[in-house]
Each structure stands twice: as structure tokens, then as C-alpha cells.
Amino acid sequence: MKKSEIRFSIALDDKKVPEAISWTATDAGPDIHFAKAINIALWDRDERGTMKIDLWTKEMPVDEMKRFCVDNMGSMAESLVTATNDTEMATKIRNLCRELTDYLNKQEAEQR
């Protein structure tokens, strides 16, 4: 059986706030990649519930964090279709993402 590893490295300041997030993966080559935020969700098979890790750096602007959240929800719609073939639920999530994107676009336009 082939195994693959993903490793995250989080640099924290003296108040334990993330300053830098980097990651490497065995299937992504030898380079170190950098991110402003990560969102990891795991389904705990024993607890039958979701375990989450959300981290973002000081450099992550609020508007990008909002887009990051909407993008995550959109990708969940694609995961639902792939894993369950529930296109109705995926469509509902996509519609919410469109509504939220419109809201964010309106917010950005008002700030200009």
C-alpha cells in the first residue's frame, strides 16, 4: 500500500498567534509551500463527529478570510457530489456560496 504524508509547520509568536504557516507533502515534491490560513476537518470514526483545526496568520486580511470560508464551502459541494452523488444538497451549497459571493462583492464595492 502506498502512503502519502502532509506536514504542516506553524510558526507562533510569543502569544501563540500564527505568524507563518508552511506545508510539505510527499506527493507535492520537495518544495516548502506557504499559506496564510488552513482549515482541516477530520471525521473521527470513534466519536462520529467532526474535529477541526482552523489557523490563520496575522497577514490574513479579513476580506480574504471571508473568501477563504466561501471557497471552503464551495469545495464541500464538490466533495458531496463525488462522495454521495447528492446533487440537490450540493446545489443548495453552491447557491449559498453565490449569495455570499454577491454579498462580499457588494461589501468590497462599498469600501472603494
Side-chain angles (χ1 to χ4, degrees), residues 3-109:
K3 289 188 176 185
S4 183
E5 289 187 11
I6 302 170
R7 293 179 185 257
F8 293 96
S9 180
I10 315 299
L12 304 173
D13 67 10
D14 57 342
K15 295 179 183 173
K16 298 185 179 179
V17 175
E19 288 188 324
I21 299 170
S22 62
W23 64 275
T24 59
T26 52
D27 290 346
D31 295 340
I32 297 173
H33 306 274
F34 293 91
K36 290 183 185 177
I38 60 173
N39 174 293
I40 302 168
L42 306 166
W43 183 259
D44 186 294
R45 69 179 177 184
D46 296 329
E47 296 295 321
R48 297 186 60 139
T50 301
M51 298 172 57
K52 286 181 57 70
I53 300 171
D54 296 308
L55 296 172
W56 55 92
T57 64
K58 297 174 186 180
E59 295 177 4
M60 184 70 160
V62 170
D63 60 328
E64 286 184 23
M65 179 56 82
K66 291 177 182 181
R67 296 262 180 208
F68 179 60
C69 290
V70 174
D71 284 352
N72 270 304
M73 287 190 291
S75 69
M76 293 306 296
E78 302 313 312
S79 295
L80 263 169
V81 171
T82 302
T84 69
N85 203 31
D86 189 336
T87 56
E88 182 177 348
M89 188 171 178
T91 298
K92 290 178 185 290
I93 293 170
R94 287 185 195 112
N95 289 341
L96 175 60
C97 289
R98 277 196 241 0
E99 182 180 329
L100 292 170
T101 298
D102 290 345
Y103 169 75
L104 293 176
N105 290 341
K106 181 180 175 188
Q107 273 191 333
E108 288 176 5

